[in-house]
Amino acid sequence: MRDLCPSDAPPRPVPAAARPILVVLHQEHSTPGRVGRLLRAMGHPLDVRRPRFGDPLPGTMADHAGAVIFGGPMSANDPEPWIKAEIDWTAVPLREGAPLLGLCLGAQMIARQLGQRVAPHADGHVEVGYYPIFPTPAGDALVGQPFPRWVYHWHGEGFSLPAGAEALAEGTDFACQAFRYGRAAVGLQFHPEVTYAMMSRWIVLGHEKACAKNARPVHQHRPDWFLHDAPVARWAETFLRAWADGALPEPRARPAGPGPSCPIPDDAAPRVSAA
């Protein structure tokens, strides 16, 4: 059994302003969107890697201020070797106590590393578009900025809260919407990085997913962005600054040591997953 508890790792040095953030993308033309823009504005260069296309991931986080794993149309259950390798790699920042942020597929990969099963909704529901979520007291207290109440989703799989993790926000169709493991690892089932241009591209290129069961009508996505994006943007900037500086508050409890990554099920099928 692997023990990835960051509290057992030696203290990491205070990250220098110029230390890069490792950005893990999963499609040839994907971008880090708002998250990348904010991190660059904070003085962090972006070290962009695409493991799906052969880019290696570092054996230690010593040269990076943190890592962000973004989404993609694939599933954390897909049998491709690079997906398993990427899930296994999340043990590196978890073990070292380095800032780690997973967005949608990235959060699902972290959940799998922590022993959770990732699976589609029992009734075939997806979350594509804006949906309400319900922050916990820990979520609202995380960075002194209210946790967003309406967020943009593009997924058809979810997971339960990993053992030893702290719930930050919950949902209705997919219960675990945000969690923290230890002080520095955060998983978000939604997409705070999405810009208006990104959203417009997704609903055109992924139109069939936007029409799946429980998806928000396509014509609502753009008006909903104007209604709900401002609180997400305010929270994202405050959160990313604290996260990249290693300044998130101590969690309420020490995380339990997780077991090995979940095995990929034999009946894994293509999913409507992270965009």
Side-chain angles (χ1 to χ4, degrees):
M1 177 178 289
R2 290 197 298 262
D3 187 355
L4 306 180
C5 297
S7 55
D8 293 339
R12 300 181 74 240
V14 176
R19 189 174 293 159
I21 298 288
L22 181 67
V23 169
V24 181
L25 298 175
H26 300 113
Q27 298 188 88
E28 187 176 2
H29 301 295
S30 293
T31 74
R34 171 192 286 133
V35 166
R37 176 178 58 79
L38 288 172
L39 289 170
R40 284 193 297 265
M42 294 170 191
H44 294 283
L46 303 184
D47 179 4
V48 178
R49 313 263 183 120
R50 292 178 169 84
R52 180 186 180 191
F53 300 106
D55 291 344
L57 293 172
T60 177
M61 292 295 295
D63 295 328
H64 294 84
V68 186
I69 305 176
F70 286 80
M74 58 290 297
S75 168
N77 294 319
D78 286 345
E80 281 79 359
W82 70 266
I83 290 180
K84 182 181 185 305
E86 192 172 318
I87 292 170
D88 289 345
W89 176 82
T90 62
V92 173
L94 287 170
R95 212 166 25 227
E96 295 182 7
L100 173 64
L101 175 60
L103 304 179
C104 202
L105 175 64
Q108 295 167 4
M109 287 181 163
I110 297 171
R112 290 224 21 199
Q113 177 61 250
L114 297 177
Q116 267 299 348
R117 176 175 175 262
V118 173
H121 190 275
D123 295 325
H125 289 189
V126 304
E127 287 183 325
V128 174
Y130 278 93
Y131 297 79
I133 59 172
F134 308 97
T136 65
D140 270 339
L142 187 63
V143 293
Q145 180 78 18
F147 207 93
R149 265 61 179 171
W150 284 80
V151 292
Y152 196 70
H153 290 86
W154 197 284
H155 70 100
E157 291 183 310
F159 51 87
S160 298
L161 183 70
E166 182 176 47
L168 301 178
E170 299 171 344
T172 51
D173 285 296
F174 294 87
C176 187
Q177 291 288 338
F179 70 89
R180 180 164 71 137
Y181 185 82
R183 185 170 185 173
V186 175
L188 305 177
Q189 183 63 88
F190 55 91
H191 289 279
E193 82 277 18
V194 73
T195 64
Y196 188 83
M198 289 170 67
M199 180 189 63
S200 297
R201 185 169 66 251
W202 290 4
I203 61 179
V204 171
L205 297 179
H207 184 76
E208 71 287 352
K209 296 178 183 178
C211 295
K213 187 176 182 181
N214 195 55
R216 293 293 193 236
V218 170
H219 68 268
Q220 285 187 207
H221 289 221
R222 291 185 179 94
D224 282 352
W225 189 89
F226 287 101
L227 283 174
H228 303 304
D229 184 67
V232 177
R234 287 193 296 267
W235 179 85
E237 182 171 7
T238 305
F239 165 76
L240 286 170
R241 189 175 299 280
W243 171 84
D245 288 347
L248 294 178
E250 289 288 346
R252 298 179 181 181
R254 180 183 184 275
S261 298
C262 297
I264 295 172
D266 293 334
D267 61 348
R271 315 291 190 191
V272 179
S273 190

